[in-house]
């Protein structure tokens, strides 16, 4: 069976990096020819470095390198994404990386965090819930957090 690989720039960059001597160890550390590579954490919390292919600079994500090392081109198959089993996006260790569907990937995130992510909160929901559990009134919560609607506070407190 032939695997249909998504030939995105980032997938190509992973293979290119391996061909240029980059690798990732069991613990998720990245090396080039035995020397540890300085990686950055992007705004979404993923470790990466950049590589130049022709005249273009392309990010190479460490979790994608670990997945490619572990699963080969199957990691780049259409409909497949790289999963962090413990929900920690900076933990790129061999045991923490798996591949699967986007649904499986979302279920790797703890339920409390999924609820917060789904609501895309403007306010700090956990702090508001904590304030309410400690006996703070709706009015005081509204004032403390700059919320203009009692219904908003009620929604935050009661949805969890």
């Amino acid at each position: 069976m032939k695997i249909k690989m998504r030939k995105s720039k980032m997938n190509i960059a992973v293979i290119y990096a391996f061909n240029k001597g980059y690798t990732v160890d069991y613990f998720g550390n990245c090396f080039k020819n035995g020397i540890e590579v300085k990686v950055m954490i992007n705004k979404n919390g993923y470790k990466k470095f950049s590589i130049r292919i022709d005249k273009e600079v392309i990010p190479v994500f460490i979790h994608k390198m670990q997945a490619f090392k572990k699963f080969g081109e199957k990691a780049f198959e259409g409909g497949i994404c790289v999963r962090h089993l413990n929900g920690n996006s900076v933990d790129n260790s061999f045991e923490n990386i798996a591949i699967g569907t986007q649904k499986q990937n979302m279920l790797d995130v703890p339920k409390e965090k999924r609820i917060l992510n789904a609501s895309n909160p403007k306010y700090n929901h956990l702090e508001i819930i904590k304030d309410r559990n400690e006996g703070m009134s709706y009015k005081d919560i509204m004032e403390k957090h700059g919320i203009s609607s009692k219904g908003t506070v009620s929604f935050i407190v009661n949805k969890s």
Side-chain angles (χ1 to χ4, degrees):
M1 178 176 118
K2 186 165 171 87
I3 295 173
K4 184 164 180 158
M5 184 173 87
R6 290 177 303 177
K7 294 191 176 177
S8 70
K9 286 181 184 179
M10 287 194 280
N11 291 345
I12 291 167
V14 168
I15 296 168
Y16 184 84
F18 270 104
N19 291 337
K20 288 292 184 181
Y22 289 85
T23 190
V24 62
D25 69 7
Y26 182 86
F27 303 102
N29 302 307
C30 185
F31 297 89
K32 181 180 182 189
N33 300 323
I35 300 170
E36 190 162 7
V37 174
K38 182 179 177 183
V39 297
M40 302 175 76
I41 298 176
N42 77 350
K43 66 180 180 177
N44 296 321
Y46 294 97
K47 289 183 178 180
K48 71 174 185 90
F49 65 92
S50 295
I51 196 164
R52 184 179 299 276
I53 301 177
D54 297 323
K55 294 183 179 185
E56 189 172 4
V57 177
I58 302 171
V60 178
F61 290 94
I62 308 305
H63 65 285
K64 286 189 168 270
M65 288 187 69
Q66 188 72 282
F68 180 67
K69 186 174 182 180
K70 189 172 180 180
F71 302 104
E73 289 185 2
K74 188 168 181 163
F76 301 146
E77 187 176 343
I80 294 295
C81 63
V82 179
R83 301 166 53 204
H84 290 85
L85 297 176
N86 67 4
N88 180 353
S89 60
V90 295
D91 180 356
N92 297 307
S93 62
F94 187 85
E95 294 297 325
N96 191 45
I97 297 296
I99 56 174
T101 64
Q102 183 60 33
K103 181 178 180 179
Q104 290 170 318
N105 191 37
M106 293 309 299
L107 292 173
D108 293 334
V109 177
K111 183 177 181 180
E112 301 79 27
K113 191 172 179 184
R114 282 198 317 268
I115 290 168
L116 287 177
N117 289 346
S119 66
N120 192 15
K122 178 178 178 182
Y123 307 105
N124 185 334
H125 291 208
L126 294 177
E127 189 176 331
I128 292 167
I129 293 166
K130 179 178 170 264
D131 289 345
R132 183 63 182 159
N133 288 341
E134 290 175 354
M136 191 179 276
S137 71
Y138 275 41
K139 182 179 178 184
D140 290 339
I141 291 171
M142 289 168 62
E143 189 173 300
K144 176 180 177 182
H145 296 279
I147 300 172
S148 60
S149 165
K150 186 176 175 183
T152 299
V153 176
S154 178
F155 173 77
I156 291 168
V157 169
N158 294 313
K159 78 168 189 164
S160 49

